[in-house]
């Protein structure tokens, strides 16, 4: 049976690829997309999500709910220096479905309560919406079957600072609240999974570009800005934190090693805002999350190649594709 899920996203670059996973993998039953402030301007993120629905041939089929437009207590921090507009300049002049009028936090609470214990959430942006939903409805935590979080680093490098990964850095108070709330959490950290195990170098990217499908052209365009940025910071390829997180929920066979950890997030440090303290069981702290430590990286790449090989029929023309 397909996995019922919601993707909570700050849609730009690999968030788009994660949406493709949710929209096209036969193991996924994507019930909704919820938007949260993160990577790029909020309205641009919405455009990127609609663009992705269109390129997947699923325009108008999955509801999009708009969520929190800023972190809980801090100012928004953008990653436009990394992702540009998040869609490689692609543009779709569409009329058609608009975002749903229900707020994303209300939609999350409602949908989880309608099917207690059935719905998984893939959270691939700052955790603002998830923290708000758990504050709004104390039953939300138990109604959600599992929460897959892209964020933090497992005693390794950050990306926005030496200490912190972007999603936790942008809204550390939300991340801290989510890890203490009691969810069944699985973490896909930046380091080592994204940074060291799932980087797509030139040969891999050329093979994807040569697939010749609208999806492969889309992938190449949306990843271009990040590829340039990655090379400047010493990463020899594209990074796929968000699509990896969605894929690991749907394909646990891609997980090679996962361990229980106590995860907490720094909100008060001068140099360590958003640092994820991942304690591996020897410090007397009760585990509150499973942290994935090793994946089948080749298996993940081949999975995305197969996904991007599919032919789709976008309903609206996409300029630049
Ligand atoms: O640190 C990686 C995360 O922030 C991902 O969710 C990606 O979208 C990025 O900008
Ligand atoms: Ca993201």
């Amino acid at each position: 049976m397909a996995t019922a899920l919601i993707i909570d996203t700050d849609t730009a670059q690999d968030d788009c690829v994660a949406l493709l996973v949710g929209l096209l993998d036969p193991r996924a039953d994507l019930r909704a997309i919820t938007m949260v402030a993160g990577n790029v301007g909020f309205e641009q993120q919405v455009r990127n999500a609609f663009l992705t629905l269109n390129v997947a041939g699923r325009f108008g089929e999955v509801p999009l709910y708009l969520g929190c437009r800023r972190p809980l207590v801090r100012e928004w921090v953008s990653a436009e220096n990394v992702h540009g507009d998040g869609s490689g300049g692609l543009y779709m002049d569409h009329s058609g479905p608009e975002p749903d009028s229900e707020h994303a936090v209300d939609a999350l609470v409602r949908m989880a309560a309608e099917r207690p214990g059935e719905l998984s959430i893939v959270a691939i942006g700052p955790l603002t919406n998830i923290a708000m939903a758990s504050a709004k409805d104390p039953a939300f935590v138990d109604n959600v079957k599992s929460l897959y979080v892209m964020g933090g680093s497992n005693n390794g490098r950050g990306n926005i600072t030496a200490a912190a990964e972007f999603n936790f850095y942008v809204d550390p108070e939300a991340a801290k609240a989510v890890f203490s709330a009691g969810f069944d959490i699985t973490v896909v950290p930046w380091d080592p999974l994204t940074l060291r195990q799932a980087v797509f170098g030139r040969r891999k990217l050329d093979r994807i570009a040569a697939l010749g499908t609208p999806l492969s052209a889309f992938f190449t365009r949306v990843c271009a800005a990040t590829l340039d940025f990655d090379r400047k910071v010493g990463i020899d390829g594209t990074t796929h934190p968000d699509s990896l997180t969605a894929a690991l929920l749907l394909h646990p066979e891609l997980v090679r090693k996962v361990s229980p950890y106590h995860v907490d997030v720094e909100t008060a440090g001068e140099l360590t805002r958003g640092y994820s303290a991942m304690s591996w069981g020897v410090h007397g702290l009760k585990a509150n999350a499973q942290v994935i430590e090793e994946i089948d990286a080749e298996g993940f790449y081949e999975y995305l190649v197969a996904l991007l090989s599919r032919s789709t029929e976008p309903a609206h023309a996409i300029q630049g594709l």
Side-chain angles (χ1 to χ4, degrees):
M1 199 171 75
T3 298
L5 75 150
I6 293 176
I7 299 183
D8 188 69
T9 168
D10 54 341
T11 314
Q13 196 254 342
D14 196 48
D15 289 77
C16 299
V17 186
L19 291 184
L20 292 180
V21 169
L23 290 163
L24 296 172
D25 188 318
R27 290 198 194 176
D29 174 10
L30 182 61
R31 301 278 175 85
I33 297 165
T34 52
M35 191 62 65
V36 68
N39 279 324
V40 299
F42 199 84
E43 302 309 330
Q44 181 63 40
Q45 292 182 168
V46 174
R47 282 195 283 280
N48 295 344
F50 278 126
L51 192 68
T52 309
L53 282 156
N54 184 38
V55 80
R58 306 265 335 253
F59 192 69
E61 292 181 23
V62 178
L64 172 62
Y65 299 91
L66 307 186
C68 298
R69 289 168 182 267
R70 51 164 288 179
L72 293 183
V73 295
R74 305 191 190 228
E75 294 301 314
W76 169 59
V77 178
S78 106
E80 282 152 327
N81 63 319
V82 180
H83 302 303
D85 70 1
S87 67
L90 296 174
Y91 179 76
M92 171 182 75
D93 186 12
H94 83 268
S95 56
E98 294 293 321
D100 199 280
S101 57
E102 187 178 18
H103 193 277
V105 171
D106 296 325
L108 284 160
V109 165
R110 175 181 56 75
M111 293 175 80
E114 282 168 359
R115 295 172 185 274
E118 279 185 31
L119 201 56
S120 292
I121 298 174
V122 176
I124 54 176
L127 288 166
T128 322
N129 286 342
I130 309 303
M132 288 288 284
S134 56
K136 181 159 192 181
D137 178 8
F140 179 65
V141 165
D142 291 326
N143 288 340
V144 171
K145 181 180 181 191
S146 66
L147 175 62
Y148 272 57
V149 171
M150 189 288 124
S153 268
N154 186 354
N155 296 286
R157 291 188 176 193
N159 51 13
I160 188 161
T161 66
E165 176 281 331
F166 177 80
N167 289 339
F168 287 7
Y169 178 88
V170 171
D171 199 341
E173 285 77 14
K176 187 176 182 67
V178 165
F179 278 96
S180 66
F183 287 103
D184 179 346
I185 300 182
T186 299
V187 183
V188 175
W190 176 259
D191 189 1
L193 295 195
T194 305
L195 178 62
R196 301 178 199 277
Q197 298 183 28
V199 174
F200 295 176
R202 189 70 272 162
R203 191 184 53 80
K204 283 186 162 62
L205 294 173
D206 285 350
R207 186 172 156 218
I208 289 176
L211 294 172
T213 61
L215 292 175
S216 73
F218 178 77
F219 176 94
T220 301
R221 280 297 289 263
V222 303
C223 291
T226 313
L227 180 58
D228 286 348
F229 177 86
D230 285 347
R231 286 186 172 142
K232 284 182 199 144
V233 297
I235 303 170
D236 190 21
T238 55
T239 46
H240 300 280
D242 304 321
S243 54
L244 179 63
T245 305
L248 294 178
L249 166 67
L250 302 170
H251 295 272
E253 69 276 10
L254 292 175
V255 176
R256 289 220 169 123
K257 188 170 181 216
V258 57
S259 303
Y261 279 75
H262 179 88
V263 179
D264 203 347
V265 178
E266 179 62 78
T267 58
E270 186 184 348
L271 302 174
T272 52
R273 162 181 170 172
Y275 169 74
S276 52
M278 297 197 182
S279 173
W280 53 95
V282 297
H283 308 111
L285 300 166
K286 190 166 175 271
N288 59 359
Q290 298 289 321
V291 178
I292 298 179
E293 296 176 326
E294 190 185 339
I295 55 152
D296 172 2
E298 281 304 311
F300 170 61
Y301 172 70
E302 293 300 335
Y303 164 80
L304 275 191
V305 168
L307 193 88
L308 299 171
S309 302
R310 291 176 54 157
S311 79
T312 54
E313 292 185 9
H316 298 272
I318 300 173
Q319 289 166 32
L321 202 60

